[in-house]
Amino acid sequence: MNKFIKFGIACALLCIIFVSLGCSKGAKEIRIGAIFPMTGGSATFGKSSKEGMEIAVEEFNEKGGINIGGKNFLIKPIYDDSAGQPEQAANAARKQIDQNKVIAIVGEVMSKNSLAIAPICQSKGIVMVSSASTNPEVTKKGDYIFRVCFLDSFQGVVGARYAYNTLKVKKAAILYDNANDYNKGLASFFSDEFKRLGGRIVADEAFTDEEKTVDFKAQLTTIKSAKPDFLYLPNYYAASALIMKQAKEIGLNVPTGGGDGWDSPQLVKIGGQSVEGGFFSNHFSKDDPRPEVQNFVKKYIAKYGAEPDALASLAYDAAFVLLSAIEKAGSIKGENIRDTLKSIQINGVTGKISFDQDRNPIKSAVILQIKNGKQQYVTTVNP
Ligand code: PHE
């Protein structure tokens, strides 16, 4: 044999070994898709979510993965960035299902993105567990669509009652992004409850696309002339912080409030002094003494050197619930995972999680307030 042929045979053998190793490795893993906003105006949501989900994946992999039909499979998450855009989120979902062959998807965070992904998952028989999308319409997209967070119909009411009953404000103004399902929905749930309690909405102002809007002074001037005693801002953190800053700049000095979209270290970084005293409804407080919370906080700090926020905790819970259902079902088939999820019960970081017939959990909310630049726990509100 000449040495070229020998070399050729050796190469071929090596290739076969690599390919078969690759295959057996491929066969021993279960791929789970995860779609989060990792870049764009809400990028801290994606960073936290990925970090939280990683911990759940590690917990399952550390005990050897999930046993299916007598074989152990490690969990391999496939993360994709939605950039906070529904189109990009939908493309990621199609790619993950068709090319990466994920057996289920965790995500999205932002309701508008979950609304774009859900019909794709539903039509392909792939379970989707949204970690943080609170708009009521999300899980209505079909019976493969679940979420582990409460709904805006609840947090809007929680916010309105806290403002009216505890802060004792009577004339609220609202300013929100009217091109975003989350913001629009939360604005209307807040407003309905505030009026039902006897309050008045003296200004109802909007803008379009918080990713692009940086100047809110025109709307704030209209709001100021309506003389509100409270300003409700159901937007994500960047817009909410800028609005509070500009409100102070034009001399509109009233208490402020918002929803879970405020939960980011960036709120205080962008808003500074002007966000002081603001309250918001949220899914989780790191000060909750429940052992599930304190264990998670400890683990998270050890791994990332920072405290977890609601997004991290919700993504941990979403991944944990999903992986538990796959384990319990002992199957990677979409319909089996779906049916097992329906009856699962978990003591999550963000509370007890089990699903009602609409695949939503029933959970409490917490009220947090910004004091000295930090989130402070105020109270828990049960459904
Ligand atoms: N609830 C928001 C939405 O549906 C997302 C979010 C959840 C943001 C939790 C921050 C914290 O779009």
Side-chain angles (χ1 to χ4, degrees):
M1 245 189 270
N2 90 24
K3 64 177 173 193
F4 288 109
I5 297 181
K6 272 194 200 153
F7 181 68
I9 291 172
C11 282
L13 278 175
L14 272 178
C15 279
I16 290 168
I17 292 169
F18 277 132
V19 167
S20 57
L21 269 181
C23 283
S24 70
K25 195 170 164 254
K28 282 231 171 85
E29 68 187 28
I30 289 174
R31 294 187 191 156
I32 305 290
I35 306 173
F36 302 128
M38 308 292 302
T39 56
S42 300
T44 71
F45 293 164
K47 179 176 183 282
S48 297
S49 303
K50 184 178 177 196
E51 290 177 354
M53 176 160 166
E54 269 306 300
I55 295 183
V57 169
E58 270 174 27
E59 286 176 0
F60 274 81
N61 283 343
E62 270 161 18
K63 60 174 193 183
I66 292 180
N67 192 292
I68 289 169
K71 269 195 204 144
N72 270 9
F73 292 80
L74 291 179
I75 312 304
K76 166 120 178 92
I78 310 275
Y79 295 102
D80 275 293
D81 177 19
S82 69
Q85 303 296 329
E87 254 315 291
Q88 193 160 324
N91 288 338
R94 282 190 210 97
K95 187 219 69 170
Q96 291 190 342
I97 298 169
D98 297 337
Q99 290 169 36
N100 300 133
K101 306 288 179 208
V102 302
I103 60 159
I105 289 180
V106 173
E108 232 266 357
V109 168
M110 301 160 88
S111 290
K112 61 177 179 178
N113 295 345
S114 286
L115 286 166
I117 298 173
I120 298 167
C121 292
Q122 180 66 27
S123 73
K124 294 183 187 273
I126 292 287
V127 164
M128 165 182 145
V129 183
S130 168
S131 49
S133 291
T134 45
N135 185 281
E137 297 305 312
V138 171
T139 43
K140 292 185 189 164
K141 296 290 175 195
D143 61 349
Y144 280 82
I145 316 302
F146 296 75
R147 79 176 106 210
V148 297
C149 53
F150 55 59
L151 275 64
D152 290 331
S153 41
F154 174 60
Q155 81 164 317
V157 167
V158 167
R161 289 188 186 166
Y162 187 77
Y164 189 87
N165 294 332
T166 307
L167 300 185
K168 311 230 177 285
V169 297
K170 301 286 175 282
K171 295 182 295 170
I174 312 183
L175 178 52
Y176 65 97
D177 182 349
N178 62 9
N180 195 330
D181 302 278
Y182 162 72
N183 315 41
K184 253 193 305 186
L186 189 51
S188 95
F189 290 120
F190 171 89
S191 150
D192 288 350
E193 179 66 8
F194 195 76
K195 287 188 280 195
R196 197 191 65 78
L197 291 166
R200 275 199 307 137
I201 304 294
V202 296
D204 187 341
E205 290 291 308
F207 53 92
T208 301
D209 197 350
E210 62 191 298
E211 293 268 333
K212 298 200 179 102
T213 315
V214 289
D215 186 350
F216 303 93
K217 293 236 170 96
Q219 291 90 335
L220 285 168
T221 306
T222 309
I223 287 174
K224 191 183 171 195
S225 63
K227 301 200 168 47
D229 56 11
F230 176 68
L231 182 55
Y232 190 64
L233 303 171
N235 309 298
Y236 298 131
Y237 56 89
S240 299
L242 272 183
I243 292 170
M244 285 185 261
K245 217 171 167 183
Q246 292 172 19
K248 299 271 145 56
E249 279 163 23
I250 66 157
L252 176 58
N253 287 307
V254 293
T256 52
D260 53 358
W262 281 25
D263 190 12
S264 168
Q266 287 294 321
L267 185 91
V268 171
K269 288 207 181 105
I270 299 169
Q273 262 312 109
S274 51
V275 305
E276 268 301 298
F279 82 84
F280 65 105
S281 44
N282 206 6
H283 306 263
F284 149 95
S285 163
K286 62 177 177 7
D287 303 320
D288 186 333
R290 286 171 52 236
E292 290 84 1
V293 176
Q294 289 315 315
N295 289 339
F296 181 70
V297 170
K298 225 185 279 160
K299 250 190 190 174
Y300 193 93
I301 292 175
K303 191 166 164 62
Y304 303 110
E307 286 167 338
D309 57 14
L311 283 310
S313 316
L314 287 168
Y316 171 86
D317 280 350
F320 194 88
V321 162
L322 175 63
L323 295 174
S324 303
I326 297 169
E327 186 172 56
K328 196 167 166 217
S331 166
I332 57 165
K333 273 178 89 179
E335 53 179 307
N336 296 341
I337 302 170
R338 174 199 63 189
D339 292 342
T340 310
L341 267 175
K342 284 182 181 165
S343 61
I344 208 140
Q345 281 183 331
I346 291 290
N347 271 330
V349 173
T350 60
K352 284 204 169 73
I353 298 169
S354 60
F355 298 103
D356 66 12
Q357 78 264 28
D358 301 317
R359 299 162 304 283
N360 298 316
I362 296 164
K363 293 168 78 189
S364 329
V366 295
I367 298 279
L368 303 178
Q369 189 176 22
I370 309 294
K371 277 202 181 141
N372 301 319
K374 296 219 158 56
Q375 294 183 359
Q376 218 174 67
Y377 170 80
V378 179
T379 185
T380 299
V381 185
N382 295 317

